[in-house]
């Protein structure tokens, strides 16, 4: 349910949800890496050409798992319309296997080709594939392997450390970069022992002491007075009910997506419960039934949490957007997203985290493409949370366009296609000039994505239209949506992570006081937005 939007470029879609793993017959290999694929139909390139063109395109982009209208849909449509290139739509093994489980077979011709099929598949494509864009986490590994096999112009080779949360930190540590303490633990005894090494104590030894995390001003340099370092919520990511004198850890799988099976542990009893929940679970994206025989234990890094969207071209990294999270305790969960706020990359912390992020991409061999990565910054500098070789999984483009003047998706097309010859002159105004874009962005307004937190559970008897009307009439509100599964008659649950939000609001305002006032009021209204029985 869209409640407010006057944007000609506004896109809405329903994101597909897939299980963590399942088994599919017929194994095959790319460069000795084993994958599985179902069905016996030969894949056929699903080619889409520009609607109006005087000549056949000489270049194209291959898209894998393109489901979202405002991510892959936006990229593929604009690539054809603005750059006059062709696009190919394909499905990863994981996603095609899931669709097969629903009884469908029509999609199998759109699967990525196996090594035995790749030559025949490639001969059906009358243009050069310059890049591969994968929208899903589950298809990223195959996208890398296929890029190598096809030898596309913009590919980064194969590196499992770009998806393995243990290996990526290990690689950074090898290169002398600051990282969290971590260990892969195969037994509960090993996990408890390492948690003790990190300083985690028994529940009986804990001291309850409220955190002193009132805001960002205490870490703010004098030179930051004229830049937007973030206005919403708290700067520190530590739950306020815990003692700042104690140490904590995070228990999670080495390969995952979002916050699935990620547990914050404040004592050894919680470590034990989290370890037992993660051990033996299915590896995300696995098509062979692979299980987690080890569990990743990491030091909990306290500080300000940032997310960075970076587009890279031939090793040149340009920050498209720097975001600061406002996460809070809610509904028994320690880290619930309340806002993702655009901030200036020219602040003291902004410069630190952007430079660290670029070094991270260099260590992982990421010379091309779009990444969305997360970092924690404290008084000693930055540390990595994770790197994702895909887009920011939210509808960020409209807000970035309004607050910065460009977005990561258009910058990605500029990196891949901007140097092609014979680009359509009539579309030049829609083509982003790569060389003219700064290395880091500057926000020209205060802007944020507000994540609507649901505090109720049960069957919805009433959606508070009076509160929604109050929100949509706020000066800072740019667009908003309440998800359809929060309508009257639907059963809802309390928000505990990003996937259980009830909707979102885009805020933008050049008045700092009004921007913050509107945000605080939305947070105040969240608990009463739904009546349930």
């Amino acid at each position: 349910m869209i409640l407010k939007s006057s944007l000609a470029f506004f896109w809405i879609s329903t994101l597909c949800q897939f299980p963590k793993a399942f088994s599919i017959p017929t194994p095959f290999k790319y460069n000795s890496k084993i994958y599985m694929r179902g069905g016996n139909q030969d894949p056929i390139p699903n080619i889409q050409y520009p609607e109006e063109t005087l000549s056949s395109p000489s270049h194209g982009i291959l898209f894998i798992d393109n489901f979202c209208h405002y991510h892959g849909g936006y990229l593929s449509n604009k690539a054809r319309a603005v750059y006059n290139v062709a696009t190919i739509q394909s499905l990863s093994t994981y996603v095609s296997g899931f669709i097969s489980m629903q009884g469908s077979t029509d999609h199998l011709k759109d699967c990525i080709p196996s090594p035995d099929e790749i030559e025949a598949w490639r001969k059906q494509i009358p243009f050069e594939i310059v890049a591969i864009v994968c929208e899903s986490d589950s298809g990223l590994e195959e996208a890398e392997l296929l890029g190598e096999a096809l030898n596309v112009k913009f590919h980064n080779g194969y590196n499992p450390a770009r998806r393995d949360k243990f290996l990526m930190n290990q690689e950074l540590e090898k290169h002398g970069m600051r990282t969290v303490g971590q260990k892969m633990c195969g037994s509960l005894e090993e996990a408890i022992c390492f948690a003790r090494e990190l300083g985690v104590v028994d529940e009986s030894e804990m001291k309850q002491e409220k955190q002193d995390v009132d805001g960002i001003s205490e870490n703010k340099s004098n030179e930051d007075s004229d830049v937007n370092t973030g206005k919403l919520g708290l700067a520190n990511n530590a739950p306020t009910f815990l003692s700042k004198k104690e140490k904590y850890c995070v228990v999670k799988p080495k390969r995952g997506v979002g916050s699935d099976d990620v547990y914050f542990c404040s004592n050894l009893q919680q470590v034990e419960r989290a370890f037992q929940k993660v051990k033996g679970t299915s590896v995300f994206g696995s098509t062979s039934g692979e299980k987690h025989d080890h569990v990743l234990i990491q030091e909990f890094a306290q500080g300000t949490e940032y997310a960075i969207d970076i587009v890279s071209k031939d090793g040149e990294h340009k920050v498209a957007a720097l975001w600061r999270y406002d996460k809070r305790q809610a509904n028994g969960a320690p880290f619930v997203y309340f806002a993702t706020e655009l901030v200036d990359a020219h602040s003291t912390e902004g410069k630190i985290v952007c430079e660290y992020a670029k070094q991270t991409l260099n260590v992982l061999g990421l010379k091309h493409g779009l990444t969305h990565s997360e970092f924690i910054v404290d008084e000693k500098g930055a540390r990595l949370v994770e790197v994702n070789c895909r887009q920011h999984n939210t509808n960020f483009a409209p807000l970035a366009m309004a607050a910065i003047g460009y977005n990561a998706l258009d910058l990605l097309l500029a990196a891949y296609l901007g140097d092609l010859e014979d680009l359509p002159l009539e579309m030049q105004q829609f083509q982003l000039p790569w060389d003219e874009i700064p290395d880091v962005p500057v926000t020209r307004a205060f802007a944020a994505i507000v994540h609507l937190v649901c505090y109720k559970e049960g069957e919805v008897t009433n959606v508070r239209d009076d509160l929604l009307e109050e929100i949509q009439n706020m000066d800072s509100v740019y667009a908003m949506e309440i998800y359809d599964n929060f309508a009257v008659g639907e059963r809802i649950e309390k928000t505990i992570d990003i996937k259980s939000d009830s909707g979102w609001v885009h805020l933008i305002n050049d008045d700092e006081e009004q921007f913050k006032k509107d945000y605080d009021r939305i947070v105040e209204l969240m608990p009463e937005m739904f009546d349930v029985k």
Side-chain angles (χ1 to χ4, degrees):
M1 176 169 54
I2 303 299
L3 298 175
K4 179 175 181 179
S5 176
S6 58
L7 308 176
F9 50 86
F10 197 79
W11 320 274
I12 299 299
S13 82
T14 301
L15 295 178
C16 296
Q17 298 292 325
F18 301 106
K20 292 178 185 176
F22 48 85
S23 296
I24 310 170
T26 316
F28 67 91
K29 298 182 180 181
Y30 271 114
N31 297 346
S32 299
K33 312 296 189 304
I34 297 180
Y35 292 91
M36 320 292 287
R37 185 160 71 84
N40 54 12
Q41 295 188 30
D42 292 335
I44 301 171
N46 182 359
I47 302 174
Q48 300 166 317
Y49 290 99
E51 290 186 5
E52 297 181 9
T53 180
L54 297 177
S55 59
S56 298
S58 55
H59 299 85
I61 295 178
L62 171 60
F63 288 87
I64 297 177
D65 297 343
N66 179 353
F67 291 106
C68 185
H69 287 250
Y70 51 75
H71 290 150
Y74 177 81
L75 285 168
S76 56
N77 289 336
K78 199 160 188 179
R80 294 191 301 270
V82 175
Y83 290 90
N84 195 41
V85 302
T87 58
I88 306 171
Q89 305 296 337
S90 191
L91 295 174
S92 68
T93 299
Y94 182 79
V95 170
S96 63
F98 174 76
I99 298 174
S100 294
M101 290 178 64
Q102 313 310 306
S104 174
T105 58
D106 292 343
H107 67 286
L108 292 175
K109 62 182 182 301
D110 295 331
C111 294
I112 63 171
S114 71
D116 292 338
E117 301 162 336
I118 199 166
E119 184 176 352
W121 182 86
R122 180 67 184 86
K123 287 180 178 179
Q124 299 175 67
I125 302 172
F127 49 80
E128 177 190 356
I129 301 174
V130 297
I132 298 176
V133 175
C134 181
E135 187 177 302
S136 72
D137 285 283
S138 55
L140 291 174
E141 185 169 23
E142 287 183 319
E144 284 192 357
L145 293 168
L146 190 57
E148 275 193 332
L150 293 172
N151 193 30
V152 301
K153 179 178 180 181
F154 296 106
H155 79 87
N156 296 299
Y158 178 80
N159 186 347
R162 298 173 190 147
R163 291 162 298 281
D164 186 309
K165 297 176 183 180
F166 174 77
L167 292 179
M168 62 179 63
N169 274 286
Q170 186 179 64
E171 286 300 308
L172 267 58
E173 185 179 18
K174 288 179 181 178
H175 286 76
M177 297 178 65
R178 184 171 177 248
T179 60
V180 296
Q182 63 172 10
K183 186 175 183 179
M184 292 297 299
C185 299
S187 67
L188 177 58
E189 293 73 20
E190 192 177 10
I192 294 296
C193 182
F194 183 67
R196 285 190 181 277
E197 289 180 23
L198 293 176
V200 182
V201 299
D202 189 272
E203 188 175 15
S204 62
E205 303 174 48
M206 293 187 64
K207 298 177 181 179
Q208 297 295 319
E209 179 183 336
K210 188 175 181 180
Q211 282 276 19
D212 180 17
V213 289
D214 293 329
I216 63 173
S217 57
E218 60 184 353
N219 295 324
K220 191 173 178 179
S221 165
N222 290 333
E223 65 185 82
D224 291 340
S225 58
D226 295 327
V227 297
N228 174 20
T229 58
K231 308 300 176 186
L232 307 182
L234 302 175
N236 197 296
N237 66 338
T240 56
F241 66 89
L242 297 173
S243 169
K244 63 184 178 181
K245 296 179 181 179
E246 305 289 359
K247 299 295 184 181
Y248 313 104
C249 71
V250 177
V251 178
K252 58 186 177 183
K254 67 177 183 177
R255 177 79 174 95
V257 59
S259 57
D260 287 356
D261 289 332
V262 177
Y263 299 95
F264 170 81
C265 298
S266 59
N267 57 64
L268 296 177
Q269 285 75 14
Q270 291 180 353
V271 172
E272 179 178 354
R273 290 193 292 269
F275 179 90
Q276 292 172 340
K277 288 180 179 179
V278 176
K279 180 76 179 293
T281 58
S282 298
V283 175
F284 175 78
S286 171
T287 58
S288 58
E290 184 183 1
K291 305 290 185 180
H292 288 290
D293 55 2
H294 284 69
V295 177
L296 176 56
I297 314 294
Q298 288 185 328
E299 168 192 3
F300 173 67
Q302 294 193 32
T304 304
E305 187 169 2
Y306 291 94
I308 308 181
D309 301 329
I310 295 180
V311 177
S312 305
K313 176 186 177 183
D314 296 324
E316 180 184 9
H317 309 300
K318 295 199 174 189
V319 177
L322 176 62
W323 308 85
R324 185 172 75 88
Y325 290 140
D326 177 20
K327 293 182 181 179
R328 308 183 184 187
Q329 300 160 230
N331 300 321
F335 306 114
V336 175
Y337 287 84
F338 277 73
T340 303
E341 182 182 6
L342 270 173
V343 295
D344 280 340
H346 294 276
S347 68
T348 301
E349 282 196 358
K351 292 176 182 176
I352 291 172
V353 71
C354 287
E355 182 57 32
Y356 184 97
K358 292 179 180 181
Q359 292 176 14
T360 298
L361 300 188
N362 289 336
V363 168
L364 296 178
L366 290 165
K367 297 182 179 181
H368 314 288
L370 173 59
T371 53
H372 172 73
S373 307
E374 297 174 340
F375 305 87
I376 300 293
V377 179
D378 60 17
E379 66 278 0
K380 295 182 180 179
R383 286 189 284 184
L384 173 68
V385 177
E386 64 180 16
V387 171
N388 301 290
C389 298
R390 54 156 170 80
Q391 73 290 328
H392 188 171
N393 274 338
T394 187
N395 188 12
F396 63 86
L399 199 64
M401 288 293 293
I404 298 175
Y406 55 92
N407 65 76
L409 301 179
D410 285 335
L411 192 56
L412 180 64
L413 291 177
Y416 285 160
L417 306 174
D419 292 336
L420 296 180
E421 297 180 358
D422 301 325
L423 292 175
L425 295 178
E426 67 276 14
M427 291 294 179
Q428 194 169 17
Q429 61 179 317
F430 302 109
Q431 299 163 5
L432 203 61
W434 172 270
D435 292 336
E436 297 178 19
I437 300 301
D439 289 341
V440 293
V442 176
T443 56
R444 56 193 186 191
F446 302 99
I449 301 167
V450 182
H451 309 281
L452 296 177
V453 176
C454 176
Y455 288 83
K456 303 286 183 68
E457 60 183 3
E459 182 181 333
V460 178
T461 59
N462 180 46
V463 179
R464 291 287 303 276
D465 290 336
D466 56 329
L467 303 187
L468 300 182
E469 184 176 358
E470 179 182 346
I471 293 174
Q472 69 175 337
N473 288 331
M474 292 178 179
D475 291 342
S476 305
V477 173
Y478 188 52
M480 63 183 292
E481 179 186 11
I482 302 297
Y483 298 137
D484 290 341
N485 57 324
F486 283 81
V488 173
E490 297 285 344
R491 291 201 63 83
I492 63 174
E493 297 181 352
K494 296 178 180 179
T495 299
I496 57 172
D497 53 30
I498 195 69
K499 296 185 295 184
S500 49
D501 290 346
S502 60
W504 52 263
V505 180
H506 283 184
L507 297 183
I508 186 166
N509 205 315
D510 56 9
D511 185 316
E512 175 185 341
E513 183 177 350
Q514 188 64 49
F515 174 71
K516 191 175 187 304
K517 178 181 177 182
D518 288 343
Y519 175 67
D520 290 340
R521 177 58 177 161
I522 293 173
V523 172
E524 187 179 319
L525 295 175
M526 287 179 188
E528 305 302 326
M529 291 180 66
F530 305 98
D531 295 330
V532 299
K533 66 177 181 180

